[in-house]
Amino acid sequence: MSKSKLPVLEIFGPTFQGEGMVIGQKTMFVRTAGCDYSCSWCDSAFTWDGSAKEDIRMLTPEEVVDELDQCAPDNYQHVTISGGNPALLASVGPLCAILRDRGIKTALETQGSRWQDWFLNIDDLTISPKPPSSLMKPSLSMLDDIVEKLRNGGRLQHTSLKVVVFNEEDFQFAKSIHHRYPDLAFYLQTGNEDTGESQETGRLVEKLLDRYHQLVERTMEDNEMTAVHVLPQLHTLVWGNQRGV
Amino acid sequence: MSKSKLPVLEIFGPTFQGEGMVIGQKTMFVRTAGCDYSCSWCDSAFTWDGSAKEDIRMLTPEEVVDELDQCAPDNYQHVTISGGNPALLASVGPLCAILRDRGIKTALETQGSRWQDWFLNIDDLTISPKPPSSLMKPSLSMLDDIVEKLRNGGRLQHTSLKVVVFNEEDFQFAKSIHHRYPDLAFYLQTGNEDTGESQETGRLVEKLLDRYHQLVERTMEDNEMTAVHVLPQLHTLVWGNQRGV
């Protein structure tokens, strides 16, 4: 793989960000292929399980920007880079640099398993350590390193932590992460167990809102979780599990 | 009315903020009585239409804080002050000062018809000019003054604009406000026409998500509305039109 190209699976938008620190933001999405994790409930498993291998395109940062421009001519000022784990790719840095030079803001979502120097240039950086239900084992020392580098770079105002919660064990994990980094904005997010595209949206919405309600109640009763946000996946409420929206 | 007391209609929480710049935030709510507006679709008309006159309590800032502590002992770090229009009340300033001294953050929602010096101390200030469908006439010169004072006070990072949209005319109003103050974070929010408590929640959710979807589509197609957020009222999706949650 050339260092200067990115393995891209999806470029789409404009749409809205459905999660976390910039929920509701009008944004474009660039989804890169490849992940060092394989979360049990990953809602984008096609980025790493080989099922969309044929769809991966190797694009230069300039080609990505060209395609963004074609998708949304003069109609975007914010780009979200997601995966997979885009933090595996050095070439995301040049992409963000081109966007920044054009006055376009960038958001990035990663689990916090790798550092990249270009994290310091991301406007809205979401680090999302994976809870026990994912069956992954996040490295806390790596997380410590990442947060320390962001702190030293004066980037904490541009950074948030987000933990997806499926059960009480996940909630306790979320709590431990929040308490480990109390000066970082913290988001709890409901998990979505029904990631197939086939489910009828009305029934899915009911289940998702019910789970969100439960997570809200759990958080409200807990006086060790006060300076936190609790959010659903807003896009899933609107579009169900469709891809590319 | 004593200048040192606040006319309070509701104190409740902890719950989550369902709207705007701190959507999802775990917060307490203090709702003050009285408004200089009477928006046609106001979802808290009981604060100004006389229907809850008997429920208004005149409380000192200290009494408000005592009641917050009783509602949520050691279980809050964020308080949202809403109305009515709390910007009518000089006594909100001392309330915010007490909270700040205790390390508790404050959010305030107001339509931007009045300035108060204590705006400069609010952590999350939402100014929500009312669109044509409200049948109100916002003063743009007053808005200009308020934004200028916030800018001079270095508070723009703590401030956002939010416009509720019921129809295309409202959307055009929202656009004019966004373009007038392009350096302020901007939120579009779906209106809720069904503010009665009786409506069945499932049906209400469907209608609200449909309206949100429409506002998303409208915003996505518009290349004069790029650096914006589009959000529903999240609490209404979860709780319908219930009060006190």
Side-chain angles (χ1 to χ4, degrees):
Chain A
M1 188 192 303
S2 156
K3 265 203 168 172
S4 62
K5 292 194 175 188
L6 297 86
V8 173
L9 263 172
E10 295 182 314
I11 294 176
F12 62 93
T15 184
F16 67 97
Q17 170 59 260
E19 304 180 0
M21 68 192 295
V22 277
I23 191 167
Q25 172 82 52
K26 181 169 170 175
T27 190
M28 305 295 290
F29 276 88
V30 176
R31 188 182 299 284
T32 60
C35 197
D36 45 332
Y37 278 23
S38 55
C39 296
S40 63
W41 35 250
C42 178
D43 62 1
S44 302
F46 63 93
T47 60
W48 50 263
D49 68 4
S51 62
K53 204 169 48 179
E54 307 298 320
D55 302 332
I56 298 172
R57 293 177 301 145
M58 296 304 304
L59 301 178
T60 64
E62 290 78 7
E63 287 169 334
V64 172
V65 174
D66 282 349
E67 203 157 316
L68 288 166
D69 285 343
Q70 283 164 33
C71 279
D74 297 319
N75 194 12
Y76 70 99
Q77 285 186 256
H78 191 274
V79 175
T80 302
I81 300 157
S82 187
N85 183 9
L88 301 180
L89 305 165
S91 46
V92 169
L95 170 61
C96 293
I98 297 172
L99 292 169
R100 198 169 39 147
D101 286 348
R102 290 175 53 175
I104 292 164
K105 291 194 172 178
T106 51
L108 188 99
E109 301 183 14
T110 179
Q111 59 264 52
S113 58
R114 298 278 182 100
W115 170 259
Q116 293 278 357
D117 286 338
W118 49 256
F119 281 7
L120 298 169
N121 299 324
I122 300 292
D123 294 289
D124 308 304
L125 177 63
T126 296
I127 300 174
S128 184
K130 301 307 175 189
S133 65
S134 70
L135 307 181
M136 299 295 110
K137 288 258 177 238
S139 158
L140 292 180
S141 63
M142 174 58 76
L143 268 181
D144 288 349
D145 278 356
I146 291 174
V147 172
E148 193 56 22
K149 282 174 174 153
L150 291 166
R151 179 178 286 112
N152 293 341
R155 299 304 293 173
L156 294 195
Q157 292 304 313
H158 293 267
T159 308
S160 72
L161 290 163
K162 182 178 78 176
V163 176
V164 177
V165 173
F166 283 83
N167 55 38
E168 179 62 24
E169 199 184 359
D170 290 354
F171 189 84
Q172 293 301 329
F173 171 80
K175 193 186 285 195
S176 71
I177 295 291
H178 175 43
H179 291 174
R180 195 175 183 99
Y181 313 107
D183 49 353
L184 270 178
F186 192 85
Y187 291 78
L188 290 157
Q189 181 176 299
T190 38
N192 175 12
E193 281 159 349
D194 309 296
T195 53
E197 293 202 25
S198 61
Q199 185 149 12
E200 191 260 310
T201 303
R203 176 84 190 99
L204 180 63
V205 164
E206 195 182 317
K207 284 167 75 171
L208 292 171
L209 284 176
D210 187 55
R211 271 193 216 123
Y212 176 56
H213 195 163
Q214 284 173 41
L215 184 59
V216 164
E217 300 273 320
R218 179 67 188 85
T219 308
M220 295 311 143
E221 76 188 17
D222 197 321
N223 65 10
E224 294 177 333
M225 292 290 261
T226 50
V228 299
H229 299 71
V230 195
L231 286 172
Q233 290 179 300
L234 204 47
H235 57 291
T236 314
L237 291 175
V238 174
W239 282 303
N241 291 317
Q242 281 178 69
R243 271 176 60 183
V245 282
Chain B
M1 188 192 301
S2 157
K3 265 204 169 173
S4 62
K5 292 194 175 187
L6 296 88
V8 173
L9 262 173
E10 294 182 317
I11 294 176
F12 62 92
T15 185
F16 67 97
Q17 170 59 260
E19 303 180 0
M21 69 192 293
V22 277
I23 191 168
Q25 172 83 51
K26 180 168 169 175
T27 190
M28 305 295 290
F29 275 88
V30 175
R31 189 182 297 284
T32 60
C35 196
D36 45 332
Y37 278 22
S38 54
C39 297
S40 63
W41 36 250
C42 179
D43 62 2
S44 303
F46 63 94
T47 61
W48 51 263
D49 68 4
S51 62
K53 204 170 47 179
E54 307 297 320
D55 303 331
I56 298 171
R57 293 177 301 146
M58 297 305 301
L59 301 179
T60 64
E62 291 78 8
E63 287 169 334
V64 171
V65 175
D66 282 348
E67 203 158 317
L68 288 166
D69 286 342
Q70 283 163 34
C71 280
D74 297 319
N75 193 12
Y76 69 98
Q77 286 186 256
H78 191 272
V79 174
T80 302
I81 300 157
S82 188
N85 183 8
L88 301 180
L89 305 165
S91 47
V92 168
L95 170 60
C96 293
I98 296 173
L99 291 170
R100 198 170 39 147
D101 287 347
R102 289 176 52 174
I104 292 165
K105 292 195 170 176
T106 51
L108 188 100
E109 302 184 14
T110 180
Q111 59 264 53
S113 57
R114 298 278 181 98
W115 169 260
Q116 293 279 356
D117 287 337
W118 49 255
F119 281 7
L120 298 170
N121 299 323
I122 300 291
D123 294 287
D124 309 303
L125 178 64
T126 295
I127 300 173
S128 185
K130 301 306 175 189
S133 66
S134 70
L135 307 181
M136 299 296 110
K137 288 259 179 236
S139 160
L140 292 179
S141 63
M142 174 57 76
L143 266 181
D144 288 348
D145 279 355
I146 291 174
V147 172
E148 193 55 24
K149 282 175 174 153
L150 291 167
R151 179 177 287 110
N152 293 340
R155 301 303 294 174
L156 293 196
Q157 292 304 313
H158 293 267
T159 307
S160 72
L161 290 163
K162 183 179 76 178
V163 175
V164 178
V165 172
F166 283 84
N167 56 38
E168 179 62 23
E169 198 184 0
D170 290 354
F171 189 85
Q172 294 301 328
F173 171 81
K175 192 186 287 195
S176 71
I177 295 291
H178 175 43
H179 291 175
R180 194 174 182 99
Y181 313 107
D183 50 353
L184 270 178
F186 192 84
Y187 291 78
L188 290 157
Q189 180 178 300
T190 39
N192 175 11
E193 280 161 349
D194 310 294
T195 52
E197 293 202 24
S198 62
Q199 184 149 12
E200 191 260 310
T201 304
R203 177 85 189 99
L204 180 64
V205 164
E206 195 183 319
K207 284 166 76 172
L208 292 171
L209 284 177
D210 187 55
R211 272 195 216 121
Y212 177 55
H213 195 164
Q214 285 174 41
L215 184 58
V216 164
E217 300 274 319
R218 180 68 189 84
T219 308
M220 295 311 142
E221 77 188 17
D222 196 321
N223 66 10
E224 295 177 333
M225 291 291 259
T226 50
V228 300
H229 298 71
V230 195
L231 286 173
Q233 291 179 298
L234 203 47
H235 56 290
T236 314
L237 291 176
V238 175
W239 282 302
N241 291 317
Q242 283 178 65
R243 270 176 61 184
V245 282

